[in-house]
Amino acid sequence: MACRISELVLGCRDPEALARFWCEVLDFVVLDREDGEMVEIGPREGFGGAQPTIILSRRDEPEPGKSRLHIDVNATDRDQDDELERLLALGARPADIGQTGEEPWHVLADPEGNEFCLLKARLAAL
């Protein structure tokens, strides 16, 4: 048997604000909280399902160097352009990491600057 990803951990200054952002982006719900230090969000069916949960963990100071973790998202009920508009309205912003403009994805940053990509393919909702 192989391992699979069960959760992603993302350090941030304001776990509650990022939880609200990512819950809207992914249609997730808050699964757990710990005294303003951690918020776990995930699919409505909870931990252990087909999708990993995301743990947003308070980090007051950014860690040295660039984060090695980012999230890729795919729209499930609209095309990429419509989803891009929705994400920007939620508070995402374009991020420049040296892309040429020819890529079939968009590089964005969440409200705290954590980079993520909006991929082109539409995936079926689970």
Side-chain angles (χ1 to χ4, degrees):
M1 176 172 237
C3 293
R4 68 181 180 95
I5 297 171
S6 60
E7 57 196 29
L8 302 171
V9 179
L10 188 58
C12 60
R13 288 180 297 279
D14 188 345
E16 290 291 338
L18 275 191
R20 286 190 299 275
F21 174 81
W22 284 109
C23 281
E24 286 293 324
V25 169
L26 300 170
D27 191 30
F28 275 13
V29 296
V30 172
L31 301 173
D32 192 16
R33 281 188 170 91
E34 286 183 12
D35 301 325
E37 294 299 310
M38 180 279 292
V39 179
E40 181 176 12
I41 63 172
R44 295 178 188 283
E45 64 271 10
F47 181 81
Q51 297 184 69
T53 63
I54 300 173
I55 295 176
L56 302 155
S57 178
R58 180 176 302 284
R59 299 284 182 267
D60 291 329
E61 296 295 324
E63 295 181 27
K66 187 176 175 169
S67 173
R68 293 178 183 246
L69 173 67
H70 76 270
I71 298 169
D72 289 340
V73 297
N74 294 74
T76 59
D77 62 350
R78 65 196 82 204
D79 68 22
Q80 185 187 41
D81 291 336
D82 289 339
E83 185 64 0
L84 177 62
E85 285 182 35
R86 186 179 83 89
L87 296 176
L88 293 171
L90 288 171
R93 61 187 187 278
D96 182 359
I97 60 167
Q99 59 269 45
T100 66
E102 299 297 317
E103 295 83 4
W105 62 83
H106 295 277
V107 181
L108 303 169
D110 71 16
E112 285 201 9
N114 298 299
E115 294 167 357
F116 69 101
C117 295
L118 171 61
L119 306 181
K120 187 161 184 78
R122 184 187 303 181
L123 298 179
L126 297 175

